[in-house]
Amino acid sequence: QKEVEQDPGPLSVPEGAIVSLNCTYSNSAFQYFMWYRQYSRKGPELLMYTYSSGNKEDGRFTAQVDKSSKYISLFIRDSQPSDSATYLCAMARTTSGTYKYIFGTGTRLKVLA
Amino acid sequence: EAGVVQSPRYKIIEKKQPVAFWCNPISGHNTLYWYRQNLGQGPELLIRYENEEAVDDSQLPKDRFSAERLKGVDSTLKIQPAELGDSAVYLCASTPREGGTEAFFGQGTRLTVV
């Protein structure tokens, strides 16, 4: 079983829709939870990171962490065609005093104009 | 502020040939990572540097891969000899400090081994 599971999609939605992207994880040692956006042929770009359970909002983006269920989500409100990209979840845990990051496989999102 | 710079952007080589990738992290970032990203997958860590010291190279296939970060700034990743299965995007990332969660990625080098 992978430490981080993410549905690869693709996910197609109409412009203006609310998008929900999710990841589950199996290791309760993860402490930091991140979402990256990756456009085609580009490197990942950090969107948001959270440390604790709960919600964190930044503009049209909301990150949600539920440690009890080992489940994280990214919500995108009023989705735009420019949001079309692959969204990667990532998690970090300490090992031997340093941080180890594990990425999900990414979910491909297409927002249709 | 310039971001993480990687070169080349694309590389096509025949199997058994050597290849090298170069990364210049963001100025002042002490932590540097090399990741490999296969098609349809998330990045997987190859090696992590704190300044010039490789502190996590457990996932680096040491029989053919090597890396260095002289003077704790630029880094190179080398494969010798390359195999067909090495075709992937090689990403470099840096963070301002050890354990920093805000990793900044370069655009990657897309390697195709034929």
Side-chain angles (χ1 to χ4, degrees), chain B residues 31-91:
Chain B
T31 306
L32 183 147
Y33 309 80
W34 281 104
Y35 286 89
R36 177 169 58 190
Q37 186 174 25
N38 291 310
L39 188 64
Q41 300 294 316
E44 295 180 330
L45 180 68
L46 290 172
I47 190 167
R48 177 168 70 89
Y49 281 92
E50 296 296 336
N51 298 302
E52 65 274 10
E53 182 182 0
V55 295
D56 184 357
D57 63 355
S58 57
Q59 300 296 101
L60 190 72
K62 297 180 184 62
D63 56 337
R64 297 182 300 106
F65 285 65
S66 64
E68 61 181 12
R69 190 184 184 196
L70 301 176
K71 300 181 181 179
V73 182
D74 295 1
S75 178
T76 56
L77 178 68
K78 298 178 182 178
I79 308 174
Q80 182 172 14
E83 297 179 352
L84 295 176
D86 296 331
S87 296
V89 175
Y90 291 82
L91 293 161

Side-chain angles (χ1 to χ4, degrees), chain A:
Chain A
Q1 182 188 12
K2 290 184 177 180
E3 284 190 272
V4 178
E5 299 276 0
Q6 184 175 11
D7 187 332
L11 179 63
S12 293
V13 301
E15 184 176 357
I18 296 175
V19 176
S20 173
L21 304 166
N22 313 294
C23 287
T24 60
Y25 61 97
S26 58
N27 193 334
S28 57
F30 285 124
Q31 297 170 292
Y32 290 95
F33 305 89
M34 291 145 281
W35 285 96
Y36 283 82
R37 177 174 61 194
Q38 187 172 25
Y39 290 113
S40 180
R41 300 186 181 276
K42 300 288 187 182
E45 168 194 15
L46 180 66
L47 280 177
M48 301 183 74
Y49 74 90
T50 57
Y51 175 68
S52 59
S53 284
N55 294 349
K56 183 176 181 179
E57 189 173 319
D58 184 2
R60 295 184 296 111
F61 299 90
T62 298
Q64 191 174 78
V65 175
D66 182 348
K67 287 189 173 181
S68 62
S69 300
K70 297 188 179 68
Y71 189 87
I72 70 170
S73 299
L74 178 70
F75 298 97
I76 307 174
R77 290 184 299 280
D78 188 23
S79 57
Q80 303 295 310
S82 59
D83 295 327
S84 297
T86 296
Y87 289 81
L88 297 153
C89 65
M91 306 182 189
R93 56 180 169 83
T94 55
T95 176
S96 303
T98 59
Y99 286 94
K100 187 176 180 71
Y101 299 89
I102 307 294
F103 284 82
T105 56
T107 300
R108 282 195 297 134
L109 171 67
K110 186 162 187 177
V111 181
L112 305 172

Side-chain angles (χ1 to χ4, degrees), chain B residues 11 13-14 16-20 79-82:
Chain B
K11 191 74 177 178
I13 61 170
E14 294 183 344
K16 300 185 182 179
Q17 294 302 306
V19 65
I79 308 174
Q80 182 172 14

